[in-house]
Structure formats: structure tokens, C-alpha cells
Amino acid sequence: MRIDTSRALRTLIVDDEKAARAVLRRELRAIEGVEIVGEAVNGLEALRQVETVSPDLVLLDIQMPGRDGFDVVRGIAGPLPRIVFVTAYSEHALRAFEVGAVDYLLKPFSGGRLEQAIERVRRAGLSPTAHAERVARALNAEAGPGLQSAKVVARHGRDLLLIDLSRVYAFRADGEIVWILTKERRFRATKTLSALARKLAGSQFLRVHRNTLVNSDKVVKVSALSSQRWLLTLANGVECISSKRNAGLVRNLLR
């Protein structure tokens, strides 16, 4: 997400403790250029609010019932906001910065310390794309081997999204633009097709053509066009033709 510094910083408060939310609300109202756009009392509600109000900043508690703060970051499917963790526990700081947090506030904190965190959000040095890629790398490292919980960064208008790779049907290049195809929509990728192919080497994503990476788990039909060319139909109806050079990959898939 690109932050427009000419307007108020749209901020979402997430904490399961009523008193903690009241403190944040009071201190934020004393800081110029901050607009509180919502509050959430747990991780599930936080994810709904992020999707609904698209905040620039989320002040996020870590230990909450159900989904904790890290689960919230992992579950964001809409525009990626800046994250400042607000917690009473210091032991999560390293992990917080690894997943892209701009700052880490320890309770109890002063109004001046919160203002410093807000200023850091405004001055965050990473470009929006670099920030999103950093968060995706951290979450993918946490997910371990396999792609079940892995993420890929996508553009949607001026926003940047984290999309579960399990939702991706194919990556398709159209000139210099690479599209991420999901069940019903497409998003613009932030990486080249070659970079994506290297990243996904050895996974279920197969480069069946110089301009197409296909999620083999989404292939529902394979039809022979010739002895060396195949038509692959994906579960969302999209069709992809394999090149002669990559026909062997399709034959292996059939086996």
C-alpha cells in the first residue's frame, strides 16, 4: 500500500483489551494527522476491518484469543498496510521485524513513543513493493517447505496484495506484464516470469510455455493438439497451450 502523506494516516486499532484500546485511542487523538478508522477486538475481526476500511496503519496486539497478531499479518488478503505491533511481551520483537513491522511498542508506552512510531511509519524507507516483498519472504520462510501457506505479491490498482499461492491457477506473461490468474480475477505480478519460475522451481508450478507457468493442481483436462503440443484446461476454464520445448513436462504430468 502506498501511503499518501498529504492526508491523515488512516489507522486501525487491534487489541482484545478494552483498556488498551482506550489508551491508544486517547494518545492517537493527540497526534496531528492521524485518523482512527476502526477498532477490532480479535484477529478475525481485524482481518475483516482491514478488508473493509483499507487502513494505512494497523496498531496490532500480538497475543489475542483465536488468531494472534502474526496470524493477522499472514491472513491479510487486501491492500497491505504498515504494521506496528503493540504488546506487553518483548520476546516477539525479532519475529515482528522479520515479518515487516515498522515498529514494536512495549506496553506501557508513552505518548511520545507512540508519536515516534507514527513518524517512522510516515518515513518508512522501503518502497511499497519492497515492503510487500519483504513481508512475503518472511511469511514464506515461516511456512517452511511446500507452498500451502506461501504468498506471492500482486498489484491491484495502486495497492499491493499478498495472495496465497494455493489460490493461483497460472502466471501468464503478456509482453512486459505478468498476470497472476486466480479463480475469477487476475492481478499484476511484481516479478518477471523468469524470477517466478526460479522461485517456484520444484513445486507444482510448471513452465509449460515461455509465457506461462501453470499450477498443475488446477489442471482438469489435457488434450493432445499434436504429438508435441498439448492444450491444458484449468479448473477456472482458462486454457493454456504447451510449447514443443516443454511438452515433456505435460507428459510427465499425465503419468
Side-chain angles (χ1 to χ4, degrees):
M1 171 176 287
R2 188 181 302 278
I3 296 177
D4 183 355
T5 56
S6 66
R7 61 170 172 79
L9 192 68
R10 304 177 72 257
T11 303
L12 174 66
I13 298 171
V14 182
D15 200 302
D16 62 319
E17 296 183 0
K18 183 177 181 179
R21 295 196 305 276
V23 169
L24 281 169
R25 190 165 55 245
R26 183 184 68 243
E27 297 293 348
L28 286 171
R29 285 172 176 165
I31 300 175
E32 186 177 353
V34 175
E35 177 188 1
I36 300 171
V37 294
E39 296 184 17
V41 301
N42 57 52
L44 189 60
E45 186 178 340
L47 288 173
R48 285 197 293 262
Q49 293 241 28
V50 167
E51 183 176 357
T52 301
V53 303
S54 297
D56 303 316
L57 167 65
V58 179
L59 296 175
L60 183 60
D61 191 16
I62 291 180
Q63 294 197 351
M64 296 180 291
R67 297 191 177 194
D68 66 18
F70 294 109
D71 289 333
V72 171
V73 176
R74 188 179 297 108
I76 292 174
L80 186 65
R82 303 292 188 176
I83 302 292
V84 170
F85 283 108
V86 184
T87 178
Y89 302 92
S90 61
E91 61 266 28
H92 302 296
L94 178 59
R95 185 182 176 198
F97 286 113
E98 286 176 346
V99 300
V102 177
D103 208 341
Y104 189 93
L105 294 183
L106 279 175
K107 301 174 184 176
F109 53 84
S110 66
R113 179 65 182 88
L114 177 60
E115 191 167 6
Q116 182 184 55
I118 296 296
E119 184 59 26
R120 285 181 178 176
V121 170
R122 296 189 184 282
R123 294 187 290 103
L126 288 176
S127 70
T129 302
H131 171 63
E133 295 286 359
R134 174 182 167 186
V135 174
R137 283 196 302 272
L139 295 179
N140 292 346
E142 283 196 349
L147 299 176
Q148 191 61 34
S149 303
K151 307 279 187 179
V152 64
V153 180
R155 291 187 183 277
H156 183 56
R158 295 185 63 191
D159 294 326
L160 291 164
L161 315 179
L162 292 181
I163 296 177
D164 291 339
L165 274 169
S166 59
R167 290 180 52 211
V168 177
Y169 283 61
F171 297 93
R172 177 172 282 173
D174 181 10
E176 297 297 318
I177 298 174
V178 177
W179 295 105
I180 302 170
L181 308 183
T182 62
K183 183 177 181 179
E184 298 173 341
R185 303 180 64 179
R186 71 176 187 174
F187 303 91
R188 187 168 176 174
T190 59
K191 292 182 176 294
T192 65
L193 196 67
S194 294
L196 287 165
R198 289 193 296 272
K199 175 182 178 181
L200 299 173
S203 73
Q204 73 265 30
F205 283 86
L206 306 177
R207 190 161 190 175
V208 298
H209 193 277
R210 62 182 178 82
N211 68 356
T212 308
L213 272 172
V214 165
N215 185 343
S216 60
D217 291 345
K218 306 296 186 182
V219 176
V220 295
K221 183 180 177 182
V222 178
S223 307
L225 297 178
S226 68
S227 61
Q228 298 187 67
R229 301 191 73 187
W230 302 84
L231 176 67
L232 285 72
T233 304
L234 307 185
N236 61 349
V238 170
E239 294 180 335
C240 306
I241 297 176
S242 71
S243 64
K244 293 181 180 179
R245 179 180 179 182
N246 297 292
L249 292 175
V250 180
R251 286 194 290 270
N252 289 338
L253 178 62
L254 291 174
R255 297 192 187 103

